[in-house]
Amino acid sequence: MMTGFERYTKKTRRAAFLEAMEQVVPWGKLCALIEPHYPKEGNGRPPVGVERMLRIYFLQQWFNLSDPAVEEALYDSMVMRQFVGIDLGREPVPDETTVCKFRHLLEEHGLGGEMLEAVNLHLQSRGVRITTGTIVDAKAITDLAHEAGALAGVDAAQYPAHAPLGVRAVGADAGMRSADK
């Protein structure tokens, strides 16, 4: 991923993580879920592409970035810009307000659960078995997240009530508890 001036380069953990996520996330399916709710051209300034905004949203989740922080990170990190598809020679990074409005659109239409289901179905179609409480898979995912410098969490509701959570056993940084199933 050279820009033409570098003589030496090394693939970073962040770059490896984003390459892996490029293959794992079903971008087309997720965009199709969002597009019916996304603003169309003609009502003010042209909207940023759905996939670009979705990729920015995922960067926020993976690297624990606020709206202003993801804007700054995109200006600062060539690898993140390449992942999102931004060429600073042709266009600016979407500002924090645009990022905030996109996040609110996802929340307003309850698209988080649908996106998770689409990712799970995509992974299952590729032979990755999705089950609750699979510590081996959780460890692999948290390792990949840590290699890229992202935080990793574990949902305690996915584990049996009589078993200890073992946040550190799966390499997570935090344990959370969502609503019971």
Side-chain angles (χ1 to χ4, degrees), residues 155-161 176-181:
D155 185 354
Q158 301 302 316
Y159 292 86
M176 299 159 268
R177 179 132 179 108
S178 64
D180 288 326
K181 301 182 253 180

Side-chain angles (χ1 to χ4, degrees), residues 30 33 57 106-107 109-120:
L30 297 180
L33 288 173
Y57 176 76
L106 296 178
E107 293 166 359
H109 295 285
L111 296 172
E114 290 181 53
M115 291 190 323
L116 179 61
E117 183 178 332
V119 170
N120 286 344

Side-chain angles (χ1 to χ4, degrees), residues 88-164:
L88 290 178
R90 297 177 186 205
E91 62 196 329
V93 168
D95 64 21
E96 65 182 87
T97 303
T98 303
V99 173
C100 178
K101 287 180 179 180
F102 181 77
R103 186 171 40 79
H104 287 163
L105 177 123
L106 296 178
E107 293 166 359
E108 178 183 326
H109 295 285
L111 296 172
E114 290 181 53
M115 291 190 323
L116 179 61
E117 183 178 332
V119 170
N120 286 344
L121 288 173
H122 178 73
L123 290 173
Q124 287 174 353
S125 73
R126 293 176 156 229
V128 177
R129 187 168 176 224
I130 306 297
T131 61
T132 59
T134 307
I135 294 177
V136 175
D137 291 343
K139 179 72 172 132
I141 291 168
T142 58
D143 286 349
L144 190 57
H146 287 138
E147 285 177 13
L151 296 174
V154 153
D155 185 354
Q158 301 302 316
Y159 292 86
H162 63 276

Side-chain angles (χ1 to χ4, degrees), residues 1 11 14-31 51-52 54-56 58-59 62-63 79-86 119 122-123 126 144:
M1 295 188 198
K11 184 183 287 188
R14 178 180 290 164
F17 174 78
L18 292 176
E19 279 182 19
M21 294 302 103
E22 182 72 44
Q23 302 304 313
V24 170
V25 178
W27 299 107
K29 290 177 184 176
L30 297 180
C31 289
E51 185 170 339
R52 181 168 292 171
L54 184 60
R55 287 171 178 266
I56 291 170
F58 272 64
L59 287 176
W62 292 329
F63 298 103
V79 171
M80 286 185 169
R81 281 194 309 275
Q82 287 175 335
F83 176 76
V84 172
I86 294 174
V119 170
H122 178 73
L123 290 173
R126 293 176 156 229
L144 190 57

